[in-house]
Amino acid sequence: MPADIVIRNARVIDGSGSAPFEADVEVKDGRIALVGTAGAGAREIDAKGQVVCPGFIDTHSHDDGAFLRHPDMAFKLAQGVTTDISGNCGFSTIPNEPGRDYMPGDISGPGAEWTDLDSYFEACAAKRPAINNAMLVGHNRVRAHVVGLEKRAATADEVAGMRGHVVRAMEQGAVGFSTGLIYEPGRYSTTDEVVALASECTAYAGIYATHMRNEGDKLLEAVAEAMHIAREAQIPLHISHHKSAGRRNWGRVKDSLAMVDAANAEGMDITLDVYPYTAGSGPMWQYVNLDNIDSEWAMGVMIASCPDYREFEGRMVPDIARDRGWTVEDAVREIVTSPQGRQVICIHFIIDEADIETNLRHPKMLIGSDGIPQLRGMPHPRLFGTMPRVLARYVRERHVLSLEEAIRRMTSASCERFGLVDRGLVNEGYWADLVLFDPETVQDLATYEDPKQEPAGISLVMVNGQVACEEGKHTGVGSGRALRFKR
Ligand code: ZN
Ligand code: CU
């Protein structure tokens, strides 16, 4: 029987970090059947010397809801992303009580008919999503489910209730537990509460992924807390979107990475992820204290999505304020307290360019977009551009890391970290999640001004052996799968 697809004349970068080599790749029944000299295939693709590598893993996504609302996942697929790790920053869409409104502007998407990971994955499968989905169970969601949005520590009974939901998710194949300790309601939890919940993942070999309690003035204290939690729970630690926010803190990622190196040298198991942009993004109300609005912060804020003031989308807060005759504090208050103010997504310029390079140079640094799939308005360009931006700007132009190393981090290293077996390498027997691209022309095209542009230079993306995107055209084949943690 011939192979389903043969890719000829490929320059294989296999995801292990080793040097490229020339080979053909045979794909059959969803998997890579051969890497070498291929026989005839039912379909033949001439790579013309372009790179063939494993599909990219977006280690930091917020696409739980998008798998149902936008099953074409075009913004990820076009970047070469074949697997999302969703449920980050404590915002998973499980557990769920149908009909319940958990949190204003919840970035994980609206609740629906599912109750747990199994039924969520079933609901996704019915939509035939374009890419694979693996899930972290999120602390903010678990806490909202059990405690509500109360601004207090949880009782012993409530902690026991939350533990049950974490265990249930892990039993059903979640890859770990995530927190967003900067956000409501997670910020009211004690360190011990987080230890108790993270501990429930240990028996399942899950990981603890954290948006730490502080990423600015108290970054190092927050890293110490994250390490304490991982040590107490005896669980690997993954630090999300590592950064040192706010101009006065720029450069301090070196200090937190030094802490990570020292801990790893002593036997801890710590990895991190980063997005290749100097702006963050999230639900605006979560960053604002209405009693004491930080005007320095507000000066660097752009509005991404704002249901009550669509005309503000894509504009900087100080510009909006000037046009309206408001102070920046007034503008922030007006936007956040508007009727649908809690749906507002903002983009804030808080990160140093040099820190991005420091991060990308670190061997334990994986890539995560942190994109928020709110397609109405002007989303942060990272939603569409993260992976090609690493390959274009940081590999080709700035030589911050080699192509083989960048691909290793975006593929095999990420799969290993999140327990995804038989993926992340161009190996015989592995699932055929593959990307074909030209390293000379690959380019992110999404910008803050024009954020919904798909990248250039990626000519083919295959998901589980099926061509999902080719020469910029999405085939709609819908071959993505739910990926459960394998032990
Ligand atoms: Zn986060
Ligand atoms: Cu996030």
Side-chain angles (χ1 to χ4, degrees), residues 214-220 243-253 255 292 294-298 349-352 355:
N214 193 292
E215 298 183 315
D217 295 349
K218 294 190 171 141
L219 170 67
L220 302 184
K243 67 172 76 69
S244 184
R247 184 174 292 272
R248 64 179 172 271
N249 299 310
W250 287 358
R252 288 173 61 209
V253 294
D255 301 329
N292 183 17
D294 181 345
S295 53
E296 190 194 325
W297 170 79
F349 292 83
I350 51 177
I351 301 165
D352 185 21
D355 284 353

Side-chain angles (χ1 to χ4, degrees), residues 174-433:
V175 296
F177 174 65
S178 80
T179 56
L181 296 175
I182 215 163
Y183 294 122
E184 310 251 347
R187 67 167 67 138
Y188 303 108
S189 60
T190 61
T191 302
D192 286 346
E193 171 182 327
V194 183
V195 169
L197 299 182
S199 299
E200 296 298 346
C201 300
T202 313
Y204 300 90
I207 73 166
Y208 173 53
T210 179
H211 177 157
M212 297 182 295
R213 216 179 274 274
N214 193 292
E215 298 183 315
D217 295 349
K218 294 190 171 141
L219 170 67
L220 302 184
E221 288 94 319
V223 172
E225 184 194 28
M227 287 177 177
H228 170 83
I229 291 164
R231 235 182 247 119
E232 291 293 307
Q234 299 182 305
I235 183 173
L237 170 63
H238 182 78
I239 296 175
S240 298
H241 42 58
H242 183 233
K243 67 172 76 69
S244 184
R247 184 174 292 272
R248 64 179 172 271
N249 299 310
W250 287 358
R252 288 173 61 209
V253 294
K254 289 200 175 90
D255 301 329
S256 44
L257 288 174
M259 287 174 71
V260 166
D261 289 340
N264 276 340
E266 282 167 17
M268 281 194 79
D269 178 7
I270 308 174
T271 52
L272 316 90
D273 67 64
V274 67
Y275 47 79
Y277 294 88
T278 57
S281 181
M284 187 159 168
W285 72 277
Q286 290 271 18
Y287 309 119
V288 173
N289 174 1
L290 285 171
D291 298 328
N292 183 17
I293 293 173
D294 181 345
S295 53
E296 190 194 325
W297 170 79
M299 293 297 286
V301 173
M302 178 184 266
I303 302 302
S305 179
C306 184
D308 293 316
Y309 291 105
R310 291 287 175 197
E311 66 273 25
F312 291 172
E313 292 172 351
R315 304 196 62 209
M316 298 295 295
V317 165
D319 295 340
I320 293 166
R322 190 178 337 97
D323 281 7
R324 297 271 172 148
W326 296 337
T327 63
V328 290
E329 293 88 345
D330 290 342
V332 168
R333 182 172 289 104
E334 184 64 31
I335 291 166
V336 173
T337 60
S338 64
Q340 298 173 81
R342 294 215 159 177
Q343 312 297 328
V344 175
I345 306 283
C346 73
I347 294 169
H348 40 176
F349 292 83
I350 51 177
I351 301 165
D352 185 21
E353 175 66 37
D355 284 353
I356 297 174
E357 296 201 3
T358 302
N359 271 325
L360 285 171
R361 269 189 204 99
H362 196 275
K364 297 286 184 187
M365 191 67 56
L366 308 177
I367 312 300
S369 72
D370 203 6
I372 298 169
Q374 177 48 264
L375 298 179
R376 198 66 215 265
M378 299 282 272
H380 190 305
R382 65 193 184 184
L383 181 65
F384 284 79
T386 291
M387 300 295 165
R389 186 172 169 85
V390 170
L391 299 173
R393 181 179 174 87
Y394 295 100
V395 172
R396 184 177 66 230
E397 294 167 17
R398 304 184 68 88
H399 307 290
V400 173
L401 67 177
S402 72
L403 184 58
E404 296 82 355
E405 173 64 4
I407 290 175
R408 182 187 72 84
R409 306 242 210 102
M410 289 151 80
T411 60
S412 68
S414 296
C415 286
E416 231 164 75
R417 192 51 171 165
F418 291 94
L420 309 178
V421 298
D422 296 351
R423 290 181 199 270
L425 289 170
V426 183
N427 265 8
E428 290 171 11
Y430 274 52
W431 286 98
D433 291 342

Side-chain angles (χ1 to χ4, degrees), residues 5 15 61 76 85 138 271 430 451:
I5 299 173
S61 93
K76 290 290 167 74
I85 309 294
T271 52
Y430 274 52

